[in-house]
Amino acid sequence: MTAHVEVLDLVAQMKAAERAFVLATVVRTVSVTAAKAGAKAIIAADGTIVAGWIGGGCARGAVLKAAREALEDGEPRMVSVQPENLLAELGVKPGESREGIRFASNMCPSKGTTDIFVEPVLPHPSLVILGASPVALSLAGQARTLGYHVTLAAPPADLTASPDADTVIDGYRLGELNEAKRFVVVSTQGRGDEAALRAAVTTEAAYHAFVGSRRKMAALREKLTAEGVEAAAIDCVKAPAGLDLGAITPEEIAMSILAEITQVRRRGQRAAKLVQASRSEDKSCR
């Protein structure tokens, strides 16, 4: 089996395991270079190259930096590693981008040029639903059709129907969740509100929401902070959950929540930071 095939096999395995990684592919080389066109490497979320080869230190630093950025924003990018004299002829400086290409300097004696395409491969976004209310069950089903990995947590006694979810957890002890951009919704609606909300605020996510009124959320906030839960963490929870679409039925409420999650997800990291800043001036939301 060739190294190329082994890399592609590992790509399939990591995708199946819902792991985030970057696939870096050499698409063009000029003059003497360590790697040739078609060479591939897998870069894990921690920045280590776990398989493959894209060249030595001449290209590695620029590619690893691009890989980190790609995993943060989910956008692919092209990196062109060239000797300084060629960069000067193009009128660009190391680290500068032009027409979608990030340029880096090749300081190695070979003085070759290597162009590498850096492609982030991200797991399905993760929706964690705490509760077994009609809204929770509808939310799970709708989210699955949109490609979310759905985890539903609730006591078995609360489940009146089999949830359409990838993972079902007994109770509100979430434990280890899959590695993905995560969204958490509490939809207990009177059955285990406190326990579910306590679990939600200790779970790292880009979005936390509670299906319930502001008045109910305020009462829960008072109760949980009295028990030692950090107030700033509770203040990061959007209540009521969802966009104001005039939703009435469980299906409509679930749709409004997914619309809000989509808004946060698609606007990217900058928008998420603005949402977080508006909810808490002093502390960042989890």
Side-chain angles (χ1 to χ4, degrees), residues 163-196:
D164 186 5
D166 297 280
T167 304
V168 178
I169 296 175
D170 181 349
Y172 301 124
R173 292 183 179 274
L174 298 178
E176 186 175 347
L177 298 168
N178 70 317
E179 183 182 310
K181 188 167 186 178
R182 189 176 299 124
F183 306 88
V184 176
V185 177
V186 176
S187 186
T188 42
Q189 293 183 269
R191 298 178 69 90
D193 294 341
E194 293 175 43

Side-chain angles (χ1 to χ4, degrees), residues 221-266:
R221 181 185 188 277
E222 183 177 352
K223 189 173 293 186
L224 290 177
T225 52
E227 295 173 1
V229 178
E230 189 178 354
I234 301 175
D235 291 340
C236 288
V237 180
K238 168 74 182 324
L243 299 178
D244 185 3
L245 304 179
I248 296 175
T249 67
E251 293 78 14
E252 290 173 346
I253 295 170
M255 180 182 67
S256 75
I257 296 169
L258 274 174
E260 187 168 58
I261 289 173
T262 301
Q263 194 176 66
V264 172
R265 179 186 171 200
R266 294 304 186 190

